[in-house]
Amino acid sequence: MDERRTVKTSKRLSRLLRHDPGAFGLTLDEGGWVAVDALLAAFAERGNRLSRRDLDHVVETNNKRRFAYSEDGRRIRANQGHTVAVDLGLSATEPPAVLYHGTADRTLPAILAEGLRPMSRQDVHLSADVATAVKVGSRHGRPAVLRVAAAELAATGHEFRLSANGVWLTDTVPPGYLTRHDLG
């Protein structure tokens, strides 16, 4: 599978497993899982040739580790980023002292005034390092990085969860726990 096809397939999987499973006639279970056989059949019905080997390649080589197989390998889901309602079954986890959020520079005034909200997604996404936050922010324009006082927020009873691919998830971050991180 060449790189162009891998990226195209990954984007299509993201759409189906995070946002619009109905586009291919799929239904996610409450945990966000769908049977691999059903997914491959849905691709085939629409003239999109995708073998299990190709799917394995996309899952294994995705640089953001967006997808995961169930323990028995018969189901697949996105690790986070859903706009459709799913329960990933992630337990509350004590976060590190500081987490980071990458965004576009133009959104900073609103975020610093209102805090971080999930917008169309189920959760706010945070990273453990500045480099990842910069990459995320760069997708939306000139990047800006916010420093999140995660441990301080968690001490108030606020819940954090860690996805299978290392993305920290939470429902909101109030503005008092945010500061702009200087990118130098």
Side-chain angles (χ1 to χ4, degrees):
M1 181 175 235
D2 67 31
E3 182 63 22
R4 190 174 68 74
R5 184 161 179 252
T6 299
V7 169
K8 185 176 180 179
T9 302
S10 177
K11 287 181 178 183
R12 181 166 285 143
L13 283 174
S14 285
R15 177 176 170 225
L16 295 173
L17 298 177
R18 295 164 77 180
H19 310 298
D20 191 12
F24 271 31
L26 298 170
T27 302
L28 305 180
D29 72 11
E30 66 183 26
W33 298 103
V34 67
V36 170
D37 290 344
L39 178 73
L40 296 176
F43 267 76
E45 288 170 12
R46 285 151 186 84
N48 296 292
R49 186 178 44 88
L50 184 67
S51 68
R52 174 61 190 250
R53 183 176 171 185
D54 292 338
L55 183 61
D56 290 346
H57 174 78
V58 171
V59 171
E60 291 167 13
T61 62
N62 185 270
N63 63 339
K64 295 180 183 174
R65 298 184 347 248
R66 283 195 169 113
F67 316 106
Y69 287 122
S70 59
E71 287 186 23
D72 63 7
R74 295 172 53 192
R75 298 178 300 151
I76 187 171
R77 75 175 179 185
N79 283 321
Q80 96 300 316
H82 298 84
T83 57
V84 296
V86 298
D87 179 0
L88 297 174
L90 301 174
S91 300
T93 303
E94 190 69 29
V98 175
L99 291 169
Y100 300 92
H101 180 78
T103 190
D105 187 65
R106 70 182 176 281
T107 65
L108 280 182
I111 292 172
L112 290 171
E114 301 169 20
L116 289 169
R117 297 173 297 159
M119 307 308 280
S120 63
R121 293 187 178 176
Q122 286 191 191
D123 298 291
V124 170
H125 294 186
L126 304 170
S127 60
D129 61 87
V130 173
T132 300
V134 168
K135 286 180 193 173
V136 170
S138 296
R139 293 191 321 233
H140 308 290
R142 194 171 82 202
V145 173
L146 291 164
R147 185 179 187 275
V148 177
E152 187 179 326
L153 183 54
T156 70
H158 201 85
E159 185 176 289
F160 290 83
R161 297 168 315 283
L162 183 60
S163 71
N165 61 339
V167 176
W168 285 90
L169 307 172
T170 193
D171 59 349
T172 61
V173 178
Y177 297 89
L178 297 170
T179 54
R180 185 174 186 162
H181 179 80
D182 183 15
L183 294 176

